[in-house]
Amino acid sequence: MKYSGIYKDSSGSTNIIIENNFENLSVEIDGVKFIGTEFSDFSIPETLNYSQKQLERFTFSGVAVYGAKTLKKSLCNCSFNITIPQIIINSETNQNFEINVNLNYTLGNENPINKGLDYENMILSFRLERKEYVGESGYIETVFEQIQEQLGESYSFKNCFGCMYGDYSVYGQSAFGSMRCYVNQKEQYMKVKTKMDYLSLLNDVYKKVQEIYYCPNFKIRKKGFGYRG
């Protein structure tokens, strides 16, 4: 999947295309390629080398990587404004509405040397049947929750966030792309009522997915099921 948009930093704006294979995101900015599991993880692959001149427009923050002695340098002090296709489903009629979601993702760090991000913020907006919906937070989960509240019970996102089998770790999650899919043990998952029930699920069975992903196993999520309720 490819998303067109604009990258912006202190040097100005550049048209970009972000490629998403639903495991990693990749983008080329002024000839420099970045890959990451999420927006706050965009870094230059170790196999690629660029001159100081090519890199001078970019700001990097130091991100700790589990098991590594050195910090990973990830892109920051910038923003991505991209358009992402999504589907809204009417839960009463099963009618699908294909929409274009505008995502503005900002990454900031005032002191990038040996320091992680100071903040990351995303604003997600779209129009559906002449009405505008907007959510804003540092977490895509909260953004989707805000918009779902605006949509009411008649509509739902037809993606992993809006799916019956999507949930998060009890230990927290990253801003984007760390949702767990429990479709391979859906019968057990749908019996989850407590935190202990959730912890009893097999950890080697779930699959990590992006909230914006969609597969044929989608089922509209109902309140009161799973860990996130």
Side-chain angles (χ1 to χ4, degrees):
M1 185 70 70
K2 295 183 179 181
Y3 314 130
S4 60
I6 297 174
Y7 167 83
K8 185 177 181 180
D9 60 19
S10 60
S11 295
S13 302
T14 303
N15 291 330
I16 58 169
I17 294 177
I18 291 181
E19 296 189 30
N20 185 8
N21 63 9
F22 295 105
E23 291 185 4
N24 291 295
L25 304 170
S26 63
V27 63
E28 187 173 301
I29 307 169
D30 284 353
V32 179
K33 186 172 183 178
F34 297 88
I35 296 178
T37 56
E38 57 181 308
F39 292 88
S40 60
D41 189 44
F42 272 131
S43 58
I44 299 172
E46 294 181 0
T47 56
L48 301 179
N49 293 308
Y50 298 99
S51 67
Q52 186 62 37
K53 180 69 175 177
Q54 289 175 289
L55 299 178
E56 64 183 11
R57 78 167 291 178
F58 303 111
T59 302
F60 298 92
S61 65
V63 178
V65 179
Y66 180 77
K69 294 182 180 180
T70 59
L71 295 174
K72 180 180 180 179
K73 293 183 178 180
S74 296
L75 197 60
C76 71
N77 284 359
C78 61
S79 67
F80 298 89
N81 195 316
I82 60 175
T83 300
I84 301 174
Q86 290 284 273
I87 298 174
I88 296 291
I89 184 170
N90 186 312
S91 56
E92 298 173 353
T93 66
N94 285 324
Q95 181 180 4
N96 289 338
F97 297 87
E98 296 182 0
I99 60 172
N100 287 317
V101 172
N102 180 264
L103 175 63
N104 185 278
Y105 206 121
T106 304
L107 303 164
N109 188 339
E110 297 178 356
N111 182 17
I113 301 177
N114 295 330
K115 183 181 178 183
L117 288 172
D118 288 328
Y119 64 88
E120 54 185 308
N121 186 66
M122 62 192 87
I123 302 173
L124 190 150
S125 62
F126 62 89
R127 295 188 66 84
L128 175 66
E129 296 189 317
R130 299 182 180 180
K131 184 175 180 180
E132 185 172 13
Y133 298 87
V134 181
E136 179 176 2
S137 174
Y139 289 88
I140 193 69
E141 176 191 15
T142 305
V143 169
F144 275 138
E145 286 177 344
Q146 291 172 356
I147 295 178
Q148 186 60 61
E149 185 117 354
Q150 298 168 41
L151 287 169
E153 297 182 1
S154 297
Y155 296 93
S156 177
F157 286 99
K158 194 171 184 179
N159 57 21
C160 289
F161 177 83
C163 181
M164 179 66 79
Y165 311 121
D167 217 319
Y168 290 103
S169 168
V170 299
Y171 305 109
Q173 73 269 6
S174 60
F176 172 85
S178 59
M179 179 159 264
R180 297 178 171 191
C181 173
Y182 288 97
V183 70
N184 289 331
Q185 48 181 326
K186 57 186 177 183
E187 291 182 4
Q188 298 93 324
Y189 175 74
M190 294 200 41
K191 295 177 182 178
V192 168
K193 296 295 182 182
T194 67
K195 181 178 180 180
M196 294 307 298
D197 290 340
Y198 187 54
L199 288 170
S200 70
L201 296 175
L202 300 175
N203 284 328
D204 59 347
V205 176
Y206 77 83
K207 180 181 179 181
K208 184 178 177 182
V209 293
Q210 295 176 0
E211 290 84 351
I212 61 174
Y213 183 61
Y214 158 75
C215 84
N217 294 306
F218 173 84
K219 183 177 181 180
I220 296 175
R221 188 172 187 85
K222 298 179 181 178
K223 290 184 178 180
F225 285 88
Y227 176 65
R228 63 182 173 122

